Amino acid sequence: MRRTALAALCLVAVTGAGLTGCQSGGDTASSGSQPPSEQAKDPKDTKESKDTKEPFAGLSGGEITERAMAATTGAPSLRFTGEIPDEESGGTLRLDLALDKKGDCAGTLGLGGEGEVELIKTGGTLYARYDEAFLRAQSEGEPQADVDAVVEMMAGTWTKMAATGADAEDIAGFCDLDEVLGDAGNGSSDATRGKATTLDGTPALTLTEQDGKDRYTFYVATEGEPYLLRLESTSAADPGSITFTDFGKPVPAGKPEGEILDLDALG
């Protein structure tokens, strides 16, 4: 699953991060070139004009996105949520993870109707709690008695293992923010500016890109840091969306309470 998820996040990097379109950000004429009648406008009208000024005025889609990627990749932590296609299973991968540049993370991963796993990675330890549906789906093809035994032992119970171990590598890769966003400055494509809007209460500017029948929409914050807030893809091959929030907030990656099954100790 890791390969597919990171491929989708690379979509952010390639089609969103390196936009180099040269669409104008609007009229950039100075007040000195305006006729006297325009310069003599009532000060109140001038204030209203400033209040309704177009976000990122004068910047192209590429310039706006370059700023967005610089801010997003510079964040010490963030949370991403979304649904993206999983090439291996043909289903939909659901993600809700908070992660930081220290490699800590906390959240959930799910695959279609095949269950869900809760994850916490703190330091060098990966904690995971699998539900029954997830365990059975991942054990498909194994002897029924073996599958039942695994479910009996692990379903609903927190487990732990070394994050550097072979069995943990795939899942732990989701927790590496530098790896997830590491190539976000690469790639190039064309984009056009869209309308100002709000996304979950945050003022944002939309940018759109189209490649054949595939269409992508990006939302960039227009107040505070110009973070990338959301990517939507209506591509027939890779439909889905990813939302970014909680920039700079601590990741709740504490050791779980209660019984913890040490998988490394089981061999």
Side-chain angles (χ1 to χ4, degrees):
M1 290 188 298
R2 174 170 170 262
R3 176 177 58 83
T4 302
L6 292 179
L9 290 170
C10 283
L11 182 64
V12 178
V14 175
T15 64
L19 300 182
T20 55
C22 297
Q23 297 297 321
S24 171
D27 185 6
T28 59
S30 67
S31 60
S33 64
Q34 295 174 347
S37 60
E38 290 292 318
Q39 298 182 33
K41 281 185 176 181
D42 186 277
K44 183 183 297 184
D45 294 337
T46 302
K47 181 179 184 301
E48 291 176 354
S49 176
K50 289 182 179 179
D51 290 343
T52 58
K53 183 178 179 180
E54 180 182 13
F56 303 113
L59 296 181
S60 69
E63 291 169 330
I64 296 170
T65 313
E66 181 178 350
R67 294 189 180 192
M69 286 302 100
T72 303
T73 58
S77 62
L78 56 78
R79 175 186 177 189
F80 65 84
T81 59
E83 294 188 352
I84 53 181
D86 182 75
E87 295 174 359
E88 296 177 4
S89 69
T92 299
L93 184 64
R94 303 186 310 278
L95 308 102
D96 184 351
L97 283 174
L99 61 165
D100 62 27
K101 291 191 173 182
K102 296 186 298 181
D104 291 345
C105 75
T108 60
L109 297 175
L111 183 57
E114 298 183 353
E116 185 174 83
V117 54
E118 297 176 66
L119 296 176
I120 298 175
K121 179 178 175 291
T122 178
T125 303
L126 176 67
Y127 299 94
R129 181 161 63 181
Y130 309 89
D131 66 14
E132 179 176 347
F134 188 94
L135 291 170
R136 292 192 180 280
Q138 296 302 308
S139 301
E140 186 177 359
E142 299 293 327
Q144 186 64 45
D146 292 348
V147 175
D148 290 342
V150 169
V151 169
E152 176 68 24
M153 178 177 62
M154 295 176 56
T157 299
W158 278 106
T159 65
K160 74 173 184 176
M161 67 184 84
T164 55
D167 292 336
E169 184 179 4
D170 282 353
I171 294 179
F174 282 106
C175 297
D176 190 335
L177 182 56
D178 282 331
E179 182 176 343
V180 169
L181 297 179
D183 295 328
N186 298 333
S188 62
S189 58
D190 294 326
T192 58
R193 295 169 56 109
K195 297 181 179 180
T197 185
T198 58
L199 186 66
D200 297 328
T202 301
L205 180 70
T206 59
L207 297 99
T208 58
E209 180 194 4
Q210 189 157 353
D211 181 12
K213 295 181 179 180
D214 299 336
R215 181 180 176 85
Y216 307 96
T217 303
F218 312 93
Y219 296 80
V220 176
T222 59
E223 292 184 359
E225 293 290 334
Y227 291 125
L228 177 65
L229 301 177
R230 184 176 176 87
L231 164 66
E232 296 176 349
S233 168
T234 56
S235 163
D238 295 303
S241 64
I242 301 175
T243 299
F244 297 88
T245 58
D246 294 351
F247 298 96
K249 292 186 177 181
V251 173
K255 177 182 176 180
E257 297 181 354
E259 178 187 0
I260 299 176
L261 179 64
D262 189 342
L263 296 182
D264 289 336
L266 296 177

